[in-house]
Amino acid sequence: MLALVYGAEECLSCHKATFAMPVCAKCRETLENYVQFNSERRCSKCGKILISEIGICMECRERASLSSLDALYPIHSYRQWKKDLAFAWKIEGQRRLSPLFADLLYKALRDLGLERTPVVPVPPRADKLRKEGWDQIDELSTLLSKRHGVRILRALERKDSIQQKKLGRDERLGTSGALYDLLPRFKDGLGSPEKVVLLDDIVTTGATMEKCAWLLRKAGAKKVYGLALFSAS
């Protein structure tokens, strides 16, 4: 109600007045106080937050699919109000959330000691850019560069328009080889960086990250880490 009276905005999570901010200070603090990546509450392989498992999640026990990644770091689980925020951002186009998410990613990079490591964004489908006019990962990458001085290395391209969310787990793992490739100028190598961070917004099976990591290793990367806002698996 205060937002209506004073012309302020409401928090996209708790709906309290925020006065021009997309998320209130309390909800922002909750976002920033995520489960630490070295915690026993995270899967030691894919990094997602464990619910009832111990040490390794059930999916990683059943399939060792992340052999090209040195580690995968999803910041939050895709659940509850965090899922609502992601939906507002990705589906409803609430781009005012982009700076908040970029700041959250930078905090994670600092916590991991990777803030000076080049970040490689996972590229979007070409038809997505045509239909929506913007790409979430590209916007986050631009903000990381402009707000925090992170080096962005756009080394990958997507080769077709298949939507991963329309594929099952086995299909994603089996067909992801045709989806991505190195840009021509990186075919002979990445240049100086031997350590890179792959950036995506949401990881599900990890198939996209795994394929992209394999390509980056092929181009000379010795260490490849995956960083994402959310884990939806």
Side-chain angles (χ1 to χ4, degrees):
M1 182 62 69
L2 285 175
L4 296 176
V5 173
Y6 294 105
E9 295 188 45
E10 289 185 352
C11 174
L12 292 173
S13 172
C14 67
H15 304 295
K16 293 181 180 178
T18 60
F19 304 100
M21 300 298 293
V23 174
C24 71
K26 183 176 181 180
C27 290
R28 181 180 182 120
E29 182 180 1
T30 301
L31 273 178
E32 293 175 346
N33 291 334
Y34 50 79
V35 176
Q36 291 300 300
F37 296 116
N38 60 355
S39 169
E40 294 181 353
R41 293 174 55 196
R42 288 185 179 269
C43 174
S44 60
K45 290 186 177 292
C46 72
K48 80 172 188 179
I49 299 172
L50 299 173
I51 302 299
S52 58
E53 306 98 330
I54 298 175
I56 301 175
C57 70
M58 292 304 299
E59 289 189 358
C60 287
R61 292 181 189 185
E62 294 172 359
R63 186 190 299 271
S65 60
L66 302 178
S67 58
S68 294
L69 280 168
D70 287 278
L72 179 56
Y73 302 112
I75 300 175
H76 286 291
S77 295
Y78 190 63
R79 297 188 180 95
Q80 300 174 342
W81 64 275
K82 300 178 188 75
K83 181 176 180 179
D84 294 337
L85 282 184
F87 183 88
W89 179 58
K90 285 180 63 70
I91 307 303
E92 297 178 348
Q94 296 272 9
R95 296 176 70 170
R96 59 201 175 114
L97 284 167
S98 295
L100 171 66
F101 287 149
D103 291 348
L104 180 61
L105 287 167
Y106 184 68
K107 180 181 185 301
L109 287 171
R110 284 193 294 108
D111 289 346
L112 292 165
L114 297 172
E115 68 270 26
R116 297 191 181 278
T117 302
V119 169
V120 179
V122 172
R125 306 184 320 271
D127 64 326
K128 177 181 179 182
L129 291 174
R130 289 194 299 269
K131 291 177 181 178
E132 300 179 15
W134 72 298
D135 173 59
Q136 291 88 359
I137 305 304
D138 184 70
E139 184 153 290
L140 290 176
S141 300
T142 299
L143 288 167
L144 282 170
S145 175
K146 291 184 176 180
R147 291 168 71 96
H148 303 291
V150 174
R151 180 185 173 190
I152 304 299
L153 189 64
R154 291 179 170 85
L156 301 170
E157 63 178 337
R158 182 144 181 176
K159 304 297 288 187
D160 64 21
S161 60
I162 297 174
Q163 294 187 45
Q164 288 281 73
K165 66 184 179 181
K166 293 184 178 180
L167 302 178
R169 178 181 174 83
D170 290 338
E171 291 177 301
R172 293 185 191 211
L173 292 171
T175 64
S176 61
L179 298 180
Y180 299 94
D181 200 359
L182 291 162
L183 286 169
R185 65 181 180 275
F186 293 103
K187 293 287 187 178
D188 295 327
L190 295 175
S192 58
E194 294 188 349
K195 181 169 63 175
V196 295
V197 176
L198 267 170
L199 176 63
D200 208 347
D201 51 3
I202 299 176
V203 292
T204 305
T205 65
T208 294
M209 285 278 196
E210 174 64 15
K211 172 57 184 177
C212 292
W214 181 85
L215 289 167
L216 293 171
R217 285 188 178 277
K218 183 180 177 182
K222 305 299 183 185
K223 295 282 187 179
V224 183
Y225 305 99
L227 177 64
L229 288 168
F230 304 100
S231 171
S233 60

